């Protein structure tokens, strides 16, 4: 007779670090480099450092480095895009520090594009009053800058890079963070101890069925912080990129190729199936109107069955085509020739303005925890991010977080007893994929570009049901040690589900339209200056933790009105 013994996970303890940085995008790499020679453990969930959105960035980095530009002008454009919700002092930091940090990066040899005389080339993007976009490799800025930073990290002995390491939860004792519990492909459950932890885990685009974000953008940092009771902000503000390429053959969950804003800056137009240019009817700036205006106009054409296409034939048939090698390759891969035909587009979730609430130094409401990059909500973006301000945010706030940590001497504290989580076995793979798909469809359809109170209410109920289904799976524990993929897949679903519930709750509570948050039932802003919305996981009440997933209207109403 074969006796099947339940698998008992074990925990190993990693060597102590001074600082743990989770994430190897722009924000994480900049933070780790700036902290040298302090001893940093840099954890990232992918097998190399290239996971996350940074390597995908196309247009570039915005900063007032041109002769005719100023941080004040950049700040003014940022505030207009942010629709009255930006924190002016954070914007001032972003644009002033930003120009200085970008000049330092240029001076240190980062591979930005230059003209024949060696001057840095400056591009123009929608809603920027000046040419202020510094780029690399034409439209492959993220890839070039990321590689340059990753090479610098590899040459820095004080940074201990740990790849294929999935950060699972913050370890907290006596109201301060003292480490991270992670699952490693080599080594399993591992406790990392350090008195300072930085979340640089990127955004949450995978919450939505249509997204430009890579598969790593699963709101992990946001959910980890939420579970630890950390304050969150601006969660309802999700920017949809208007022009993601619609590739009917792409797999579910695959990031949609982005057709950069810079194309419209160079003269590409938006047309419907009848080849009628429709943005001229929508906004005085036509195709260069703010992102949310363009995205909603495209969305409406698609809902009305009129189709939406980007016409970049004039660019791609001429000399300017050389500036867009990535776009040409993306179109070719999807079977289109952008020099000869118009390209079908749809809005896709692109950037989360909301995240873990952070002050000017990236500090959160939990002692010992900092956050930077897209995972953070510092108030710089307000209700809508100005294009190319996010790589800049990672650069500026990565520095500020590092400098704040370096100025402190924090005591190490012993970690509490840790209960290792149960992980559903390989048999649950299909169920996890099914629930992830349902969640993403729910978010795109009901919490997407146009929102309505009664639909959001329905969405909250759907979240409660999904949460019940997810917690049922928890009991389908595997017999063997889980694989790295099992843990990551399951962890990401839990994180997306929690983040989705929180975004939906925040969207239902903001009873106005502002920036990227558009309510059909409240079409106007309440006032010129908006009020930022802060919440914690407690605001969700029992909504997403209910094992049965059954919630009546009264309990949903309580959660909504709390
Ligand atoms: C297609 C596209 C084009 C863009 N173009 C531009 C542009 O031109 N200009 C601009 O300013 N912005 C652009 N953006 C936005 C910008 O790229 C991102 O906002 C920015 O790169 C975010 O950087 P980050 O360091 O915060 O996060 P990311 O670069 O997303 O990195 C997050 C990191 O965290 C790791 N991670 C996440 N969860 C875990 C976990 N649980 N455990 C361990 N590791 C984890 C990931 O593997 C990754 O290394 C674009 C985004 C996309 C998707």
């Amino acid at each position: 007779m074969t006796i099947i013994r339940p698998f008992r996970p074990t925990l190993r303890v990693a060597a102590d670090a001074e600082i743990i940085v989770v994430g190897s995008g722009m924000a994480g790499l900049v933070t780790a480099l700036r902290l040298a020679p302090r001893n940093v453990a840099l954890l990232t969930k992918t097998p190399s450092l290239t996971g996350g959105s940074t390597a995908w960035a196309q247009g570039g980095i915005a900063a007032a480095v041109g002769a005719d530009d100023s941080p004040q002008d950049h700040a003014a454009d940022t505030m207009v895009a942010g629709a009255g919700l930006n924190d002016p002092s954070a914007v001032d930091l972003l644009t002033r520090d930003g120009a200085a940090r970008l000049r330092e990066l240029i001076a240190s040899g980062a591979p930005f594009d230059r003209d024949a005389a060696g001057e840095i080339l400056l591009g123009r993007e929608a809603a920027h009053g000046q040419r202020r976009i510094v780029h690399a490799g034409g439209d492959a800025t993220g890839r070039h800058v990321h590689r340059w930073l990753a090479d610098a990290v590899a040459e820095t002995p004080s940074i201990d890079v740990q790849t294929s390491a999935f950060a699972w939860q913050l370890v907290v004792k006596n109201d301060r963070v003292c480490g991270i519990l992670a699952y490693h492909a080599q080594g399993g459950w591992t406790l990392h101890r350090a008195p300072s932890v930085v979340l640089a885990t990127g955004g949450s685009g995978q919450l939505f069925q249509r997204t430009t974000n890579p598969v790593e953008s699963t709101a992990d940092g946001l959910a980890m912080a939420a579970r630890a009771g950390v304050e969150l902000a601006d969660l309802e503000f999700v920017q949809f990129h208007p022009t993601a390429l619609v590739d009917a053959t792409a797999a579910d969950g695959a990031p949609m190729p982005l057709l950069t804003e810079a194309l419209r800056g160079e003269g590409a137009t938006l047309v419907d199936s009848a080849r009628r240019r429709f943005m001229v009817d929508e906004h005085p700036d036509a195709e260069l109107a703010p992102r949310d205006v363009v995205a909603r106009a495209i969305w409406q054409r698609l809902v009305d069955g009129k189709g939406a296409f980007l016409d970049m034939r004039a660019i791609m048939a001429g000399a300017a085509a050389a500036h867009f090698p990535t776009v040409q390759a993306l179109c070719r891969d999807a079977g289109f020739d952008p020099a000869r035909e118009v390209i079908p587009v749809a809005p896709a979730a692109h950037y989360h303005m909301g995240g873990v609430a952070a002050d000017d130094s990236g500090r959160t409401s939990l002692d010992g925890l900092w956050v930077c990059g897209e995972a953070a909500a510092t108030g710089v973006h307000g209700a809508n991010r100005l294009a190319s301000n996010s790589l800049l945010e990672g650069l500026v706030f990565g520095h500020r977080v590092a400098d704040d940590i370096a100025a402190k001497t924090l005591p190490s504290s012993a970690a509490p007893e840790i209960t290792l989580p149960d992980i559903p076995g390989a048999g649950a793979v299909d169920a996890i994929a099914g629930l992830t798909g349902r969640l993403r469809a729910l978010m795109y359809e009901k919490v997407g570009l146009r929102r309505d109170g009664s639909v959001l209410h329905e969405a909250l109920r759907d979240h409660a049901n999904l949460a019940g289904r997810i917690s049922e799976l928890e009991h389908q524990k595997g017999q063997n040690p889980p694989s790295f993929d099992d843990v990551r897949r399951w962890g990401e679903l839990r994180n997306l589900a929690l983040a989705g519930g929180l975004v939906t709750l925040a969207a239902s509570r903001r009873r106005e339209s502002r920036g990227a948050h558009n309510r059909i039932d409240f079409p106007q802003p309440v006032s010129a200056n908006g009020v930022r919305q802060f919440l914690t996981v407690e605001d969700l009440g029992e909504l997403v933790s209910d094992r049965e997933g059954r919630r009546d209207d009264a309990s949903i109403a309580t959660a909504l009105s709390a």
Side-chain angles (χ1 to χ4, degrees):
M1 186 175 76
T2 313
I3 299 174
I4 300 173
R5 296 184 197 286
F7 162 70
R8 281 185 207 289
T10 52
L11 178 68
R12 72 182 178 127
V13 180
D16 286 1
E18 285 178 79
I19 303 115
I20 298 167
V21 175
V22 188
S24 61
M26 180 81 167
L29 296 183
V30 166
T31 309
L33 285 167
R34 180 77 176 173
L35 280 163
R38 285 171 186 77
N39 162 235
V40 172
L42 178 69
L43 271 53
T44 197
K45 65 183 174 181
T46 47
S48 72
L49 292 182
T50 50
S53 290
T54 298
W56 293 65
Q58 294 181 1
I61 308 180
V65 292
D68 302 330
D69 204 358
S70 72
Q72 290 77 11
D73 286 351
H74 185 189
D77 290 343
T78 301
M79 301 280 285
V80 170
L85 206 85
N86 314 67
D87 175 339
S89 70
V91 174
D92 184 50
L93 275 178
L94 176 80
T95 52
R96 233 152 5 111
D97 275 22
R101 293 290 91 83
L102 195 61
R103 282 201 184 94
E104 285 165 15
L105 198 62
I106 294 168
S108 62
F112 294 114
D113 296 335
R114 295 171 183 268
D115 65 14
E119 295 298 316
I120 288 289
L121 285 168
L122 295 174
R124 171 131 193 238
E125 283 186 345
H128 282 276
Q130 291 281 344
R131 283 193 165 264
R132 62 166 74 98
I133 315 300
V134 176
H135 46 87
D139 59 358
T141 307
R143 189 150 46 84
H144 287 268
V145 172
H146 188 272
R147 190 182 304 145
W148 192 81
L149 291 169
D151 287 348
V153 163
E155 288 164 13
T156 308
S158 56
I159 305 175
D160 174 18
V161 174
Q162 313 235 357
T163 54
S164 297
F166 184 79
W168 180 271
Q169 80 178 52
L170 294 166
V171 179
V172 180
K173 190 171 182 188
N174 299 333
D175 296 328
R176 78 175 337 277
V177 75
C178 53
I180 284 270
L181 173 67
Y183 195 83
H184 289 242
Q186 305 293 327
W189 291 111
T190 306
L191 171 63
H192 294 265
R193 292 180 304 200
S196 307
V197 172
V198 182
L199 292 175
T201 45
S204 52
Q206 284 289 325
L207 269 176
F208 297 88
Q209 194 172 42
R210 283 189 157 158
T211 180
T212 64
N213 286 194
V215 293
E216 293 85 29
S217 302
T218 48
D220 295 354
L222 172 58
M224 278 190 280
R227 284 193 194 93
V230 177
E231 194 170 50
L232 313 165
D234 307 332
L235 293 184
E236 62 276 34
F237 296 106
V238 178
Q239 183 176 83
F240 280 72
H241 196 287
T243 50
L245 187 156
V246 178
D247 176 359
T249 63
D252 191 32
M256 291 174 76
L258 178 145
L259 301 176
T260 173
E261 211 107 58
L263 289 162
R264 280 176 280 130
E266 295 297 333
T269 55
L270 282 161
V271 296
D272 61 20
S273 313
R275 303 295 178 262
R276 231 187 110 260
R277 195 177 158 203
F278 57 80
M279 278 311 298
V280 284
D281 305 333
E282 299 280 343
H283 195 275
D285 293 336
E287 281 83 2
L288 296 183
R291 271 190 179 168
D292 55 311
V293 176
V294 181
R296 279 197 291 276
I298 294 177
W299 176 282
Q300 202 53 55
R301 296 302 175 291
L302 296 176
V303 169
D304 295 345
K306 292 183 176 164
F309 303 84
L310 190 65
D311 185 351
M312 54 178 124
R313 288 175 293 180
I315 301 174
M316 291 306 178
H323 298 305
F324 299 104
T326 306
V327 169
Q328 290 185 71
L330 292 172
C331 291
R332 238 190 347 263
D333 290 351
F336 297 106
D337 178 353
R340 302 166 72 92
E341 58 191 323
V342 297
I343 310 296
V345 290
H350 185 53
Y351 185 84
H352 198 182
M353 276 69 76
V356 182
D359 72 6
D360 288 352
S361 299
R363 290 185 203 178
T364 70
S365 65
L366 178 62
D367 268 354
L369 182 69
W370 282 259
V371 62
C372 56
E374 192 169 339
T378 55
V380 294
H381 303 299
N384 208 1
R385 175 193 69 132
L386 182 63
S388 289
N389 265 357
S390 43
L391 289 176
L392 185 72
E393 184 189 18
L395 179 64
V396 167
F397 286 89
H399 269 75
R400 297 188 67 82
V401 163
D403 290 350
D404 195 47
I405 293 174
K408 286 173 181 291
T409 314
L410 291 174
S412 302
S413 55
E417 189 84 350
I418 289 176
T419 308
L420 295 177
D422 289 336
I423 304 294
V429 169
D430 288 346
I432 292 175
L435 290 173
T436 307
R438 269 179 60 186
L439 174 67
R440 299 176 74 236
L442 152 66
M443 290 299 289
Y444 192 74
E445 283 157 21
K446 298 185 176 170
V447 198
L449 207 60
R450 308 208 71 181
R451 296 163 173 173
D452 177 75
S454 60
V455 179
L456 289 167
H457 192 274
E458 209 178 283
L460 276 167
R461 213 185 291 178
D462 295 347
H463 277 296
N465 285 328
L466 270 175
R469 297 286 311 280
I470 291 170
S471 61
E472 276 164 23
L473 274 185
E474 210 162 272
H475 303 295
Q476 295 187 16
K477 196 176 155 184
Q479 301 289 346
N480 301 308
S483 71
F484 181 76
D485 286 347
D486 286 343
V487 176
R488 179 173 159 186
R489 205 180 286 122
W490 173 238
E492 289 179 344
L493 171 59
R494 289 173 73 241
N495 292 339
L496 286 171
L498 177 55
L502 286 160
V503 169
T504 307
L505 179 66
S508 63
R509 282 190 180 173
R510 184 171 289 279
R511 295 190 173 96
E512 64 167 348
S513 290
R514 182 179 295 279
H517 173 70
N518 188 268
R519 286 277 299 253
I520 293 165
D521 47 348
F522 295 100
Q524 298 301 325
V526 167
S527 58
N529 289 320
V531 180
R532 295 182 66 197
Q533 181 176 205
F534 294 82
L535 47 81
T536 70
V537 75
E538 292 210 347
D539 291 83
L540 267 185
E542 294 172 352
L543 195 66
V544 292
S545 61
D546 174 36
R547 190 159 289 252
E548 300 305 318
R550 284 193 294 269
R551 280 284 155 241
D552 58 18
D553 275 1
S555 67
I556 291 175
T558 310
L560 290 177
S561 61

